[in-house]
Amino acid sequence: MEKEKMSTNFFLNTQLTALIEKGFSCIESHPCHHLESGIREAIYLALGAHHDPIAHKRRRLLAQQAINKVAPLWYTTWPQDTLLMPLLDRFIRYKERRVVEKNEFLYTQLDEDWERMSAFADNTWIQDPLHRKHRFAESMVGLTVVLATELVLFDSFVTSEESFLPQKDEEIDLMENELHFYAAFAYAGGPPFPMHYFGTGSPEKYKDYWTWWLQEALPYAWKEGMNK
């Protein structure tokens, strides 16, 4: 494993390499093998400055990989549902355009998409608190896609070089986190900490997700972000 990590990350800069190594230590020590918000934010900042074109492309590529990883969970759970497809279409359409005019409509559309997917998640929780049928965790895929679209348009989540998120996700309101938290939540089948009537997600799946994120998704985003 160590040899494989080194061969994968040889082209990364020193700062990001050190953060990835720290990330592996974090997921090993966490009870659910979760990568906490503090280290994720540090990694986001290490990808480059806010609105820097190369850095923004890297963050877009990272978001795209997260969607690819977890979107199938939605359709496995709700194979006949059509709620997610328009969101995926918008994400792809905006991602492929080099310049998107920022206007009030985009802000309104994002707000409406967030409210729609938040309501879906809430109703899933209310209808089936034991998530035996509606699977609350998989509803986090919708939140992932909405926030990925916001990132494509506005390079959101990174606003300055100063930390603005708590170091641990348990200190953040569930509906005020960022897209990679929701993607991992969906993939692992539950939160990385006890929450109301839910048990935690699978530690094995959390470890699998964050290992993939650190070892494959991040290096890919870093390298491909430099390509035109």
Side-chain angles (χ1 to χ4, degrees), residues 1-154:
M1 176 67 74
E2 189 65 29
K3 183 177 180 181
E4 184 178 351
K5 281 192 290 184
M6 290 176 64
S7 63
T8 301
N9 296 345
F10 73 94
F11 50 82
L12 302 177
N13 68 16
T14 303
Q15 180 188 17
L16 192 56
T17 299
L19 285 169
I20 288 174
E21 293 302 321
K22 183 178 179 181
F24 278 112
S25 297
C26 289
I27 62 175
E28 284 297 329
S29 61
H30 192 282
C32 280
H33 300 305
H34 174 61
L35 189 67
E36 291 282 14
S37 60
I39 185 68
R40 296 199 312 274
E41 184 180 6
I43 287 171
Y44 251 48
L45 291 169
L47 292 176
H50 189 219
H51 287 314
D52 173 78
I54 292 177
H56 190 192
K57 183 179 179 181
R58 287 168 175 159
R59 288 187 275 270
R60 294 199 308 269
L61 288 166
L62 195 56
Q64 174 72 75
Q65 291 178 89
I67 289 175
N68 292 345
K69 188 82 167 174
V70 301
L73 297 172
W74 180 283
Y75 290 109
T76 299
T77 307
W78 301 288
Q80 305 302 318
D81 182 74
T82 59
L83 191 61
L84 190 68
M85 186 57 68
L87 275 65
L88 288 170
D89 288 343
R90 275 196 287 278
F91 170 79
I92 293 169
R93 186 167 70 251
Y94 293 146
K95 181 179 72 69
E96 292 176 348
R97 292 171 62 183
R98 290 184 178 273
V99 178
V100 179
E101 182 181 354
K102 312 297 191 301
N103 55 47
E104 191 64 31
F105 171 74
L106 291 179
Y107 289 101
T108 301
Q109 186 177 67
L110 281 170
D111 286 343
E112 290 176 351
D113 288 343
W114 179 261
E115 290 300 321
R116 189 177 302 112
M117 300 314 294
S118 298
F120 183 88
D122 287 343
N123 288 334
T124 298
W125 175 296
I126 292 169
Q127 293 175 33
D128 190 5
L130 297 180
H131 55 96
R132 291 172 176 166
K133 178 181 178 182
H134 295 281
R135 302 304 297 270
F136 176 71
E138 282 83 349
S139 71
M140 298 294 105
V141 173
L143 304 185
T144 301
V145 176
V146 176
L147 292 181
T149 304
E150 184 179 20
L151 181 143
V152 164
L153 292 170
F154 306 111

